[in-house]
Amino acid sequence: MADAPTRPSPPARTDALTLTPALRVVGQPVVRHDARDKVAAATAYAADWAMPGMLHAAVLRSPHAAARIVKLDTARAAAMPGVAAVLTAKDVPRNTLATDVPGQTTAVGPLRATLHVLAEGRVRHQGEPIALVAAETLEGARAAAEAIEVEYEREPGVFTPEAALAAGAPRVHDTGNLLAHWHVARGDVTGGFARAAVVVEGQYETQFVDAAYLEPESGVAWIDSDGVITIRLSTQVIEHFRDVAEVLDVPQNRVRVIGTYLGGGFGGKEDVTVEVYLGLLALRTGRPVKMVWTRQESLLSRAKRHPYRMRYRTGALASGEIVAQQVELLADAGAYAYLSALVLLYSTVTAAGPYRIPAVEVDARVAYTNNPPTSAMRGFGAMQTVFGYESQMDRVARALGLDPVTVREVNALRRGDVLPVGQVIETHAAVAELARRAWDELGPPTPPRAPHIKVGRGLSCNFQPYGRIVWLHDWSSAWVGFEMDASLVVRSGVPDVGGGQASSLCQIAAEVLGVPLQSVSIHISDSALTPLAGTTTASRQLYMSGNAVLKTARELRAQILSVAAPMLGADAGDLAMAGGAVHGPGGRTLPLPEVLRQCARAGVPRSHLAVYHAPAGEPVDLARGSGKVFPDYTFGAHAAEVEVDTETGAVRVLKYAAAHDVGRAINPQSVEGQIQGGAVQGLGYALMEEVILEDGINLTTSFASYLIPSAADVPDITPIVAESGEGLGPFNARGIGEPPIGPPAAAIANAIEDACGARVSRLPITAERVARALGLVV
Amino acid sequence: MIVSFVLNGRARDVDVLPSETFLDVLRDRLGIFDAKEGCDEGVCGACTVLLDGRPVSSCLVLAPSVRGHRVTTVRGLERGAGLHPLQDAFVKHGAVQCGFCTPGMLLTALAFLERHPAPTRADIRTALEGNLCRCTGYAKIVDAVEAYARGDSNGG
Amino acid sequence: MHPFDYEAPATLEDALELLAEHRDDAKLLAGGQSLVPILNYRLAKPRVVVDINDLPLAAIRVADGHLSLGALVRYHHLEESADIARHCPLLKEAAALIGNVRVRTLGTVGGSLAHADPAAELPLVLIALDARVNVRSAREHRTLTARDFFAGYLTTALAPDELITDIEVPVLGDAGYAVEEFARRAGDFALVAALAVVRVSARGRIETARLAFGGVGSTPLRVGAAEDVLVGHEPSEERLARAATVAAAALEPQDDAFASAAYRRLLAQVLSRRALARAVARALEVA
């Protein structure tokens, strides 16, 4: 790597566009409480846990992508020394989970997506779990898993959505291979194309990728002294205790999930991973059981990001105004549905980009194949479409001889505009100004360092929903309470994936109740002991749990002040809480412990539990384009400068700026970290990450073959944190977990075309693909 | 078999199997979770410990191989009751998100700075290229290491 | 991993006796960077692991125009040794490209050769320099040329009862050298590597040339036809480019999941041209 300039990472450009009273804790780059523990390696992750008499578990998985199991004999394995249990499908009380796939159109009909805990007679993807083993040692469990006798009869499989949807294709499920189909049409696309000065067509293909968190799936389960099956694991969703209860056929109040601080999630720990297996084995053996997936196992069998084939047709006037956009999306659900229908919905809603386009048609389908299942991953369908729509915008700009920023400015959504699905943009949409800022941040062009090097720059804008679909009636609850000495406790079910989820809640509570941040302690992510807060997904936690804590803290504040008011001889409305005290008019002050003692005497609780309900809506009929789908969106723009080695096709990112309007940055340092981390994950997606499958067989089941960016592969990401002051979260914040991962792929593709004229429309943009686009290889 | 080595300055004698890795010994026999299991093949760096001051993948060191050697893990960095200034710098600069890569980053950075006390940002990135991070995008980790190397007071 | 018997012989003789006894049932443990991953993945289940780290095989010596490197010399020694920097700095440049810093702490010269990855740096250096590999069994000593040593993909000429004791690498003298490597990500294995060693006479003509490639065949290999294009001529840009073209045409790389044969061929051409240019520049500096 050539030397990068020696300077500290550029300070984020942050501004507050609205006037608000000065905040004391919120808005400060406070040190996160979990950071201290983590640098000292004091945080106990899910695998950092051992219990007396603990067994170790292993999973036997199918080596084939499509097969019948004609023989399954566990006798030899079960007889091996130290083996405590060997389970197959027949040992699972309720082996099949079925969920309704939401909002199906009449074209597909009602659909139940089935999932088996352990394979029953048939395996549909490589890595599908067939049997579980628990043994005294991990080596014993793995050896026993190998000793299970399985005979397979291979069956024909399908390995692309196109093949799956062709007539006569083998059926992955009896319901047929088309899993979901969404269609949106608004305005007159034919008329639009007719009056367009240019029509740009493009096909874009994205790949399977893995979440590749550093911490593999892990957990320990045991049966507590009161008979509660307790599962301590790394998960983004503690509510899966209900799935465990259903599978085990036990009452829901007999299963407890304790979520640990995750070593990364990114959507890969949103579905059930180890919890059901652990529950089964703990229940069967009566002993604690530990399961930690190997990296190979995780790369092999964990759900991936949906790959897409996207066909775009974009018509624009000479001014750059887009007048028609026609999009066809085809995604691969892999062997099981998981969250595919919802992912497709996100893609459908965002397919046209953050632009005001009068005529839009989107036709989106997702099909089953015998590839690994695909499910949630950071960006959730709204991420892949950015590659399509931003590659198109760049090509339209080129065709018209306009610069990239101008084309965005001409078309960018503004408040009051209507999306193709009929949703009105109700908050500030910052696309245009963010595009300008990100672009300008690149500064003067870097001169090429050698004759065979070309330098170019590219822009990419996006919008990512935050908060769940409005007709899912999302809610989050929180408990906030004072101890007698005025130290504060927050309890929230929120799982912390490393983005400072827990820390932000402490900031909010401290801000509202006027106490020092250090006096706040928080308990999170325990389905039995913390109020449920919903999933850490969908960029929803700051919005939902932040609002839940905000609401709870405000109501607690009112309770406290109702007691303090007569003590100070004032109206509650004239009181303030600050510095760990209550302040009244005329400089009168009461230390909090005094007020709290009075609360105790008066029988007024020093704690409060509240629920925040997101504004809900009715399901939208996408075909009629009639309404609000998501609560709101986070808008962003990234700009990249790259160099292309025109002899090898190698691409190096020289400079990178990432701008997002976050409404308000609760913790600016955390927001920068999310932007930088998301952008780098997006660069991995753009340049090097790919799950390589051959007829459903995964060739990249190791970190040596599945490549994620190292520190030497990416430059400093300059985060630009814009604060419009408009967002639905606490203190007008917007979600920032997912948005930064969307723009990089198109920014890089656009920069490469700018540098050397080669357009790569397939991800990842490897050096070989660039070389081919340059005509260096035939 | 009994293996004798020095761990964070303290002599240890541990009964091990030859078919265990040193990572297994730390975590399962000694209950020390400073090193993490990320990939079992020495690529990710989450299992990094220092062996006689040099970084190694403890997932690739068989248990008997540490006999007679000096091993350092993150808890060996602490100064009295407080954090090592590099740990402080990581905290202050927001270089920690999920934290899983953090112990490996700290040890690798320190071993590197022993030999290269005045690195450029590019040098730091190259030095850390064997420690994968999925959360931070690396910039703030580089900030922290750079600030510490500069000797910024209190970690910068 | 599957359990095994563990032996840690204190002398070479003891080690060789163990190999004679156990042969294919035994695996040697040196740096562990190739062996332990396959043990972790349960891909290999040896009955015996023979830990040779106590053997006195880590010396670096210079004698008679050769550098002798013991099999247990670690990659980081190659980077840090003053003798290597003076007598064969090519080894230093190649070693810095190997894996990551942790691999370089423990990985050994002998381990790299025994693993025989066609994309690995040290086998490439040995092929380019015509190094010699000394192996021993309880029966005999043998010396093999590098070309004979690397028999095929991940395959060497080592008999099951043999181990590598040391290698002999010619001193570079005033030759210029360069390694050019293309990897998909920092620290990743090379897709293609090209190594050039060139000696330029006082009259400005190439006296000797070695051009070797990794990642384009089942073993690292030299392309004599390309070397012939260079010897006796001035090292002009056109001459180097022609050698690179001849080299690329002579190679028969394979398609695989990570790169096509055609792309590897392109890389071979570009990297060899660049390696030759740098090697020539170094040779002219020294002259």
Side-chain angles (χ1 to χ4, degrees), chain A residues 479-566:
Chain A
W479 184 101
V480 181
F482 279 106
E483 300 292 1
M484 293 304 295
D485 62 356
S487 58
L488 191 67
V489 178
V490 177
R491 294 193 170 95
S492 163
V494 68
D496 190 307
V497 297
Q501 280 78 13
S503 177
S504 303
L505 300 184
C506 294
Q507 276 179 280
I508 293 164
E511 183 72 54
V512 171
L513 294 164
V515 297
L517 184 60
Q518 298 84 310
S519 73
V520 184
S521 88
I522 183 164
H523 301 278
I524 60 169
S525 203
D526 186 322
S527 72
L529 301 183
T530 57
L532 294 180
T535 64
T536 296
T537 64
S539 305
R540 69 177 279 285
Q541 278 298 9
L542 187 59
Y543 168 39
M544 295 302 298
S545 299
N547 273 331
V549 168
L550 182 67
K551 179 179 181 193
T552 307
R554 282 183 174 154
E555 290 172 7
L556 176 62
R557 184 176 182 277
Q559 265 164 239
I560 304 292
L561 293 182
S562 72
V563 170

Side-chain angles (χ1 to χ4, degrees), chain A residues 294-430:
Chain A
T294 66
R295 177 59 54 185
Q296 244 195 339
E297 185 172 17
S298 179
L299 286 172
L300 178 74
S301 57
R302 189 67 202 98
K304 308 284 171 261
R305 180 188 291 288
H306 291 73
Y308 274 73
R309 185 196 74 195
M310 303 182 280
R311 292 182 174 150
Y312 273 78
R313 204 159 171 254
T314 311
L317 304 178
S319 62
E321 192 186 324
I322 312 286
V323 288
Q325 178 106 279
Q326 200 169 35
V327 186
E328 191 196 301
L329 304 175
L330 181 59
D332 189 336
Y336 289 98
Y338 285 102
L339 295 165
S340 297
L342 285 179
V343 170
L344 191 72
L345 178 61
Y346 274 65
S347 303
T348 305
V349 171
T350 59
Y355 303 114
R356 179 181 52 257
I357 304 174
V360 174
E361 191 184 331
V362 181
D363 194 79
R365 289 173 302 160
V366 62
Y368 286 119
T369 66
N370 293 103
N371 287 325
T374 47
S375 189
M377 201 170 296
R378 193 177 193 176
F380 205 86
M383 182 267 196
Q384 293 92 318
T385 47
V386 186
F387 185 55
Y389 59 73
E390 284 301 281
S391 296
Q392 285 291 101
M393 290 302 277
D394 197 68
R395 295 174 62 203
V396 163
R398 264 174 215 291
L400 294 171
L402 296 171
D403 78 272
V405 179
T406 300
V407 161
R408 277 32 173 233
E409 285 171 340
V410 165
N411 292 289
L413 283 169
R414 292 186 294 252
R415 190 201 315 268
D417 286 335
V418 182
L419 292 179
V421 291
Q423 174 161 5
V424 177
I425 298 297
E426 290 163 3
T427 57
H428 180 65

Side-chain angles (χ1 to χ4, degrees), chain C:
Chain C
M1 61 186 74
H2 203 260
F4 46 78
D5 291 334
Y6 171 82
E7 302 283 352
T11 68
L12 182 57
E13 287 63 41
D14 289 344
L16 296 176
E17 257 174 52
L18 285 165
L19 284 180
E21 181 188 340
H22 296 290
R23 301 176 62 87
D24 281 320
D25 285 338
K27 289 257 186 227
L28 289 174
L29 173 68
Q33 304 302 290
S34 304
L35 175 65
V36 185
I38 61 172
L39 294 178
N40 283 338
Y41 289 160
R42 311 172 63 75
L43 292 175
K45 295 175 184 173
R47 263 206 319 104
V48 184
V49 167
V50 179
D51 180 347
I52 58 170
N53 286 286
D54 285 341
L55 302 186
L57 295 176
I60 298 176
R61 276 191 291 262
V62 191
D64 295 335
H66 279 96
L67 260 176
S68 163
L69 305 180
L72 290 178
V73 168
R74 313 270 168 184
Y75 302 145
H76 74 86
H77 292 144
L78 301 178
E79 289 181 280
E80 293 160 12
S81 153
D83 279 334
I84 286 175
R86 179 167 337 111
H87 297 289
C88 192
L90 170 59
L91 281 167
K92 177 176 171 167
E93 176 163 311
L97 296 171
I98 299 175
N100 58 48
V101 64
R102 298 182 301 281
V103 170
R104 297 194 292 275
T105 298
L106 290 178
T108 63
V109 168
S112 173
L113 303 189
H115 187 58
D117 185 329
E121 289 80 358
L122 286 189
L124 181 62
V125 172
L126 265 64
I127 286 285
L129 297 181
D130 253 345
R132 292 149 81 75
V133 184
N134 292 317
V135 309
R136 280 193 62 176
S137 65
R139 303 171 280 115
E140 60 173 346
H141 298 230
R142 290 202 291 154
T143 298
L144 293 104
T145 62
R147 183 184 300 214
D148 289 338
F149 181 82
F150 296 110
Y153 179 67
L154 301 181
T155 312
T156 70
L158 282 170
D161 63 344
E162 283 180 318
L163 61 73
I164 303 164
T165 54
D166 60 286
I167 64 173
E168 285 163 44
V169 175
V171 160
L172 265 190
D174 56 2
Y177 62 91
V179 184
E180 289 281 327
E181 197 174 271
F182 185 90
R184 296 178 300 146
R185 177 197 64 192
D188 192 24
F189 58 84
L191 279 187
V192 174
L195 193 164
V197 182
V198 169
R199 201 169 264 107
V200 179
S201 72
R203 297 214 323 254
R205 288 180 193 270
I206 299 171
E207 271 181 355
T208 63
R210 297 290 174 84
L211 189 57
F213 294 90
V216 291
S218 58
T219 68
L221 43 87
R222 277 170 60 187
V223 182
E227 294 168 356
D228 293 341
V229 165
L230 294 165
V231 173
H233 296 275
E234 282 176 17
S236 65
E237 244 182 73
E238 296 71 34
R239 179 63 43 178
L240 301 189
R242 190 181 328 170
T245 304
V246 167
L251 296 170
E252 288 173 342
Q254 298 296 304
D255 283 328
D256 71 15
F258 307 119
S260 69
Y263 185 63
R264 285 184 197 263
R265 203 186 286 277
L266 169 75
L267 285 178
Q269 178 158 1
V270 175
L271 296 180
S272 58
R273 211 194 68 236
R274 292 179 182 175
L276 283 167
R278 274 208 296 128
V280 164
R282 273 192 168 125
L284 295 176
E285 255 174 57
V286 172

